[in-house]
Every structure is written in C-alpha cells, then in structure tokens.
Amino acid sequence: MTFAVHGLPVARGIAIGRAVLVVSSRIDVAHYFIKPDEIETEIDRVRTARNAVADELTKLQASVAQMGPNDAPHELAALLEVHQMLLQDDVLSGGVKHWISERLYNAEWALTTQLEIIARQFDEMEDPYLRERKADLEQVVERMLHRMKGTAAVLAPSPPRRKRAAAHHDHDDEDDDPTAGDGFDVPLVLIAHDLSPADMLQFKKSVFAGFVTDVGGRTSHTAIVARSMDIPAIVGARSASQLVRQDDWVIIDGEAGVMIVDPSPIILAEYGFKQRQGDLERGRLARLRHKPAVTLDGQRVELLANIEMPEDTVGAVKAGAVGVGLFRSEFLFMGRENSARQTRLPDEEEQYQAYKRAVEGMQGMPVTIRTIDVGADKPLDGKSASKQEHLNPALGLRAIRWSLADPAMFLTQLRAILRAAAHGEIYLLIPMLAHASEIRQTLSLIDFARAELDNRGAVYGPVKLGAMIEIPAAALTLKTFLKHFDFLSIGTNDLIQYTLAIDRADEAVAHLYDPAHPAVLKLVADTITECRRQGKGVSVCGEMAGDVAFTRLLLGLGLRSFSMHPSRILAVKQEVLRADTGKLEPWARGVLDADDPAAALAG
C-alpha cells in the first residue's frame, strides 16, 4: 500500500530506490558492505557466533538441570529451551545468509536486519504469548552480536557493483522503470533514526542515493553534510524508521520533504520525470562554471566552498569555487574510536598533511581553516547529540571554549595549520568567540605556537586571522573584534540558533528557525556594514549563503563574499549574474525595515 511520510526538506532533488534500514540496537552495530569474496567469511562469523551462544545455552541448561526446583523454577528451563529453538530457527539463519550473499551486508548488519523483519512478524501475531517471544528473539540476537562485537565502523565505503544482464532487458525500459531488474546496482536510500556527523562522514563515500532520518533540523550537521553531497535528503520524519521495511521501494522528494513508500507505477513515472528534469537543470547550470561571478553593474563576487575533508577540494574546484571559505577541521577528529571506545585525536603530522592536501587541492586559491568546532550536534565520538551527557551542549564546552580548555590539543592544531601555510594562502578562522578574554587567550596561543615552531626550526607561513560571528554578543561588539582580526565570517546557522533560542537540531522547534527574522537580518546587516566601513573582509559561510532566496538580499546589503557547499555554487552564481546591486541596495534596506521581512523577500 502506498503511503507518504512528511519531514523537513534539507537537500533538493529526487531519489528513487530500495530502503536500507539501519536498525537501532542496544549495542553498537557495524553497518558496512563487504566484498563478494568475503561472503563465506561473514557467514562463518555468524555460524561461529551462533554455535558459541548455543554452547552457552547448553551449559546453562545443564546447570539448571542439576539444581533443585526451589533454585531453578521450571519456567527457566523452558525459557532456555525457547532460546535454543530460536537460535536454530531456519528463518533467522536463512534470512541472515540472504542479506550477506545477496546484498553484501556485513554479518552484524545482516543479523539486525533479519531481527527487525522477524520482530515485526511477532508484533502482528494475535496470540499474546507468541508476541512476547519477540523479546526472547532480541535477547538471542544480542548474545550473538556480543560475540561478534569489535568490528569495523558504522558506515563504510562502497559495495561492489554487480552489472545487470543486459541481454534480457531493453535499456530504455530500464530508464523508464527504476524498479526494473535486481542486483547490487539497484539504487539504495538510507533510512535511520539518526546519523551522527561521524556516520555522515563515512556516508559521503558510500553509494546511497538519498537518506531520511527520524530526527534533525534543517541546519543540523546531518543536513549540512547531506547538502554537501548534493543528494536528496529529509530529516525530522519522526517515525520513518518504524514505518519503512527493509527493501521497500521509496521515493525521496527533497524539495517537498516527502517520502513516498511503495509507490504505484503512475507515481514512479511522475517522479522519474521530475528526476530527469532536475538532471537537465544541473546540466544547464554547469555551463556557468567558468564564467566569472560579476553582477550586471560590474561588482565582482567571491563564491567560495565549504568543505569537510581535504578530498572535498576536488568538488570545490569542479564547481568553480575561487577558494575555500570554510574547512570544517573537526571532521578530521571524528569517527576515530578504537575497539576500547577511546577516541585517538590526530597528531600534528597527520593534521599538517591533511591541511597541506587541502591547500594543494585548491591549486593556489586561498583556504580558510576553521579550528576544531565540536560539541552540540557534532560530538567527537560516534554518538548522536541526543546521547550526550550535557543537558544543553549547544551552550556548553564547544568550539573555541573546548580548544582553550585543552591548550595542548589546540596548540597541536595551530602548529599544523601554520606549517601548512608554507604551501599556500591560508586564512585561520576561530569559531564561537564572544569575550575579549577569549580573543586574548587565542591570540596568545597562536603566538606561542609560532614560538614553538621557531624553537624547532620548523618552516611555517603567514596566516590571516579571522573570527566567526555566530553569537549575538559578538555581533554587538564588532569594534572589539575588528581591532584584532583581519576578517570576519558570519556563521548564520548558529547565529540564528542563538538569536532565536532554538536548538537547530531539534525538529520539534524547526518551524521557529527563521533566517528572515528581523533580529537576525539586522545582526547580519550591521556586521557587513561595519566590516566594509573599516575595510575588513567579511563573508557569510552559513547555510544562508547557499540559499538562492537570500542571494539578492545579501548582495543588496553589501556582501561580496559567499561561502557554501560546492553543490550550491552554480545556482548562486546564476543569481549573481542576474543581479544589479545598485537597484538591490534600496530594496534590501526596505526588507530590513519591513514588519514581515519574509513577505518582502518573496515579493
């Protein structure tokens, strides 16, 4: 039966494919694709775990048999017998083998997938006694998972691709029907309760055509990374992971924020057409890649790229970026837990090599590296933000506060950045500053890092220093900031969050997250005006920079440097090429003065 699930649209486009469900478990479970020659190894891992658990249960049964009726009630022996039966059940073992051999899931993923399928069957049983056996099945599977625990990370690189047998299908028919055929080259979409930034980092290297999560907001970092991948995505879909079944055909409409499950042929045809229209539009925009971003009245505009990893510079250059306006260095620190659940931070040499690769990847264009910004919806380990121990992590020890609390870690990063500056133009950007004392501490540590390099005789280069304006207190004390920094970068995501007192990762208040709120626009406008008055550089690096609905307004307010995900550069460039800043300036002031700026923007 066809039905729709609604959420928040965070990345445009249409994705059609089979659902890959990442099921929550009471223990951490690895989800990754294996190679075809590893199928038997994974099946053996399941078999070994099953046999080990069977031995455990057999020993327990023997112990129970030796006990008296007062020490071991009859129900305990019966329960152990049920667990043995479930452990040897053909439906469980056969299903696990299917997911491993047919879809190349690793053993843990296959086991939790089959558990979810059987558990739903138990839920649908009318007999209360049989329904309750689901808990027994979960316990058996948990025992097996504990036996297999300690393997690879959450989401890993691409699975091998099996080609369809072309002799039996007409190529045009397959284009018209995305559900035609089978095998490993069928498009896959990921459905999960939540994805941490570390998960998303590995997801970037995988094969999924889109994803949907139960939780999250438009500017949560899960959504931000989705936009950087330029794939359709929906967050805040509440119960999506409970409603969708493994291998269901689904459509993700990233424009409307709707997921359609088990679509009819007519709906599939309609969305297939929309998908092809989107491809054509991207093709038209691609022609603008080499065209300079200059307005109709001759104003040159900088279109920079936001990146998470050095390898992202390839996409930035391909999109026509003239530099990197935001390298989120914290992604180098994520997803690094070992089997003991300890996080190993990258050392100076590893960071230096990463920053150097980014500089070299931009082929002489400038790279702005933001120092580590962890906390809130970007925990350092693989856990989601909702599991953090802090009651309000967005207001806690994050970003520069975290760095200043751990000077050794911060100095390591600063030395690596300074060394990388010997290979090209680097701008050093400090996040979440609010106090003059924080500015002084930060500048002192930068000087200390230089002194350490001098003492070692290490080669390093000059950097321009910048500060993020993402706290209202910073936006209201700009003169203090501009005494110490060469440029400012407006992080609109957090600026909106802190100005409007809204957790940007919480879908329950997502409707209150308003980039066009008069207070937000005033802070942005005042920052741009003051920087231009003092001859200092200013850019916007938040999601507002890549939203074409705000391009004309920001141009009218005097902004000439936008930093966004590479996937948004060409769409924003198209708006720039059509703009006349002379006409936009009075209009932008009118928007700022309006009672309802959002309505004025749309008008």
Side-chain angles (χ1 to χ4, degrees):
M1 180 183 73
T2 301
F3 63 92
V5 178
H6 294 260
L8 303 172
V10 296
R12 299 174 177 85
I14 305 294
I16 303 172
R18 285 196 180 277
V20 173
L21 201 62
V22 175
V23 183
S24 299
S25 174
R26 280 174 286 183
I27 66 172
D28 293 326
V29 175
H31 297 80
Y32 58 94
F33 293 105
I34 62 173
K35 298 175 182 176
D37 59 7
E38 295 173 329
I39 290 174
E40 288 305 319
T41 302
E42 291 299 290
I43 292 174
D44 282 343
R45 290 181 64 225
V46 177
R47 188 182 298 116
T48 300
R50 184 192 64 188
N51 292 342
V53 173
D55 288 343
E56 287 178 5
L57 293 174
T58 299
K59 290 175 183 176
L60 285 171
Q61 286 174 308
S63 298
V64 168
Q66 294 173 0
M67 295 177 185
N70 294 330
D71 297 323
H74 170 72
E75 288 81 6
L76 179 56
L79 180 62
L80 290 172
E81 184 63 32
V82 168
H83 281 208
Q84 281 282 24
M85 291 173 59
L86 290 170
L87 191 62
Q88 305 299 333
D89 183 60
D90 290 339
V91 176
L92 178 62
S93 59
V96 171
K97 287 180 182 177
H98 165 78
W99 297 116
I100 293 173
S101 59
E102 297 300 321
R103 294 295 289 273
L104 299 183
Y105 288 5
N106 68 298
E108 291 88 346
W109 192 359
L111 192 55
T112 53
T113 297
Q114 190 62 15
L115 167 64
E116 177 72 9
I117 290 170
I118 299 175
R120 290 191 180 190
Q121 294 172 359
F122 276 114
D123 287 337
E124 294 167 359
M125 292 177 178
E126 295 182 4
D127 189 320
Y129 174 80
L130 292 177
R131 279 203 306 271
E132 289 171 5
R133 299 288 64 78
K134 181 178 82 168
D136 296 317
L137 176 66
E138 289 173 341
Q139 290 172 14
V140 167
V141 171
E142 291 287 343
R143 281 180 173 269
M144 293 178 65
L145 289 172
H146 276 292
R147 281 284 173 176
M148 294 188 290
K149 193 178 179 183
T151 51
V154 179
L155 284 169
S158 311
R161 313 291 283 171
R162 177 189 291 166
K163 300 292 185 182
R164 292 186 187 143
H168 300 294
H169 299 282
D170 180 79
H171 181 74
D172 292 334
D173 290 344
E174 287 189 4
D175 283 346
D176 292 339
D177 182 7
T179 68
D182 206 349
F184 302 142
D185 60 341
V186 170
L188 303 176
V189 296
L190 187 68
I191 313 294
H193 175 71
D194 194 13
L195 292 168
S196 73
D199 297 340
M200 291 297 296
L201 194 60
Q202 293 174 312
F203 177 20
K204 288 184 74 169
K205 304 170 187 174
S206 69
V207 296
F208 298 108
F211 78 87
V212 177
T213 61
D214 295 343
V215 299
R218 282 189 175 89
T219 57
S220 63
H221 278 81
T222 302
I224 290 171
V225 178
R227 276 190 286 273
S228 76
M229 296 162 62
D230 197 22
I231 62 170
I234 299 170
V235 299
R238 299 298 177 96
S239 55
S241 64
Q242 280 86 46
L243 296 172
V244 178
R245 296 174 184 266
Q246 194 77 25
D247 248 18
D248 276 351
W249 277 101
V250 300
I251 296 171
I252 298 176
D253 184 341
E255 194 77 40
V258 176
M259 175 179 65
I260 301 171
V261 183
D262 193 20
S264 67
I266 293 175
I267 294 175
L268 273 171
E270 178 186 347
Y271 276 92
F273 175 75
K274 288 183 178 180
Q275 199 174 41
R276 291 190 292 275
Q277 289 295 106
D279 292 340
L280 288 173
E281 176 61 20
R282 279 191 289 273
R284 284 192 290 268
L285 286 175
R287 299 171 190 166
L288 302 178
R289 177 191 165 193
H290 298 292
K291 193 173 181 63
V294 180
T295 64
L296 293 174
D297 57 328
Q299 292 290 309
R300 185 170 292 275
V301 177
E302 250 189 346
L303 298 182
L304 307 168
N306 294 349
I307 66 172
E308 283 83 39
M309 297 295 280
E311 295 73 26
D312 296 341
T313 56
V314 175
V317 172
K318 186 177 180 182
V322 296
V324 168
L326 179 64
F327 180 172
R328 295 185 172 97
S329 67
E330 57 270 15
F331 282 86
L332 296 174
F333 292 71
M334 292 178 180
R336 302 174 63 90
E337 288 179 315
N338 58 25
S339 58
R341 310 297 291 162
Q342 296 173 327
T343 300
R344 183 187 65 82
L345 300 182
D347 60 21
E348 179 183 329
E349 185 62 24
E350 183 181 346
Q351 290 189 63
Y352 161 67
Q353 292 294 340
Y355 304 140
K356 178 186 172 188
R357 289 200 308 276
V359 169
E360 292 172 344
M362 289 310 294
Q363 303 170 15
M365 293 178 280
V367 175
T368 301
I369 301 174
R370 181 178 68 187
T371 58
I372 183 170
D373 181 4
V374 292
D377 61 344
K378 292 179 291 181
L380 200 56
D381 58 17
K383 299 172 186 174
S384 67
S386 60
K387 299 177 184 176
Q388 293 300 291
E389 59 186 25
H390 308 292
L391 292 178
N392 196 336
L395 299 179
L397 194 66
R398 60 165 293 197
I400 191 59
R401 299 170 180 176
W402 192 81
S403 296
L404 294 177
D406 189 350
M409 180 283 302
F410 192 35
L411 285 167
T412 297
Q413 181 174 36
L414 291 174
R415 289 194 303 270
I417 293 172
L418 290 169
R419 287 174 58 197
H423 301 277
E425 189 175 4
I426 285 182
Y427 290 39
L428 177 58
L429 182 61
I430 310 298
M432 207 177 166
L433 287 166
H435 301 272
S437 60
E438 290 175 329
I439 295 174
R440 288 192 295 270
Q441 280 182 273
T442 300
L443 296 179
S444 176
L445 284 170
I446 293 171
D447 288 339
F448 191 81
R450 289 193 181 103
E452 287 183 313
L453 293 173
D454 285 334
N455 291 336
R456 280 166 33 185
V459 177
Y460 64 92
V463 295
K464 290 187 177 180
L465 297 180
M468 294 279 290
I469 301 298
E470 48 193 343
I471 299 176
L476 294 171
T477 55
L478 291 171
K479 291 181 180 179
T480 298
F481 278 73
L482 291 172
K483 288 177 185 176
H484 301 284
F485 293 101
D486 302 308
F487 69 98
L488 300 180
S489 185
I490 307 172
T492 52
N493 303 342
D494 274 332
L495 184 61
I496 296 165
Q497 170 174 247
Y498 294 129
T499 302
L500 303 182
I502 293 168
D503 184 347
R504 61 192 178 101
D506 186 352
E507 72 278 4
V509 292
H511 63 288
L512 298 175
Y513 188 91
D514 182 13
H517 190 285
V520 173
L521 294 183
K522 177 171 174 51
L523 293 175
V524 170
D526 288 351
T527 302
I528 295 170
T529 299
E530 185 61 24
C531 286
R532 286 172 63 89
R533 190 182 72 80
Q534 294 199 29
K536 297 291 183 82
V538 61
S539 68
V540 170
C541 66
E543 292 303 297
M544 189 186 285
D547 188 341
V548 294
F550 289 94
T551 305
R552 293 166 65 246
L553 176 64
L554 292 172
L555 287 171
L557 294 177
L559 188 70
R560 297 295 180 265
S561 180
F562 297 67
S563 189
M564 67 205 75
H565 297 294
S567 62
R568 302 302 304 150
I569 286 176
L570 294 176
V572 171
K573 182 182 284 190
Q574 181 172 256
E575 292 297 312
V576 170
L577 295 172
R578 295 171 174 173
D580 184 328
T581 59
K583 296 178 180 178
L584 288 177
E585 286 174 9
W587 170 79
R589 290 295 161 189
V591 172
L592 287 185
D593 295 337
D595 294 332
D596 186 356
L601 267 173

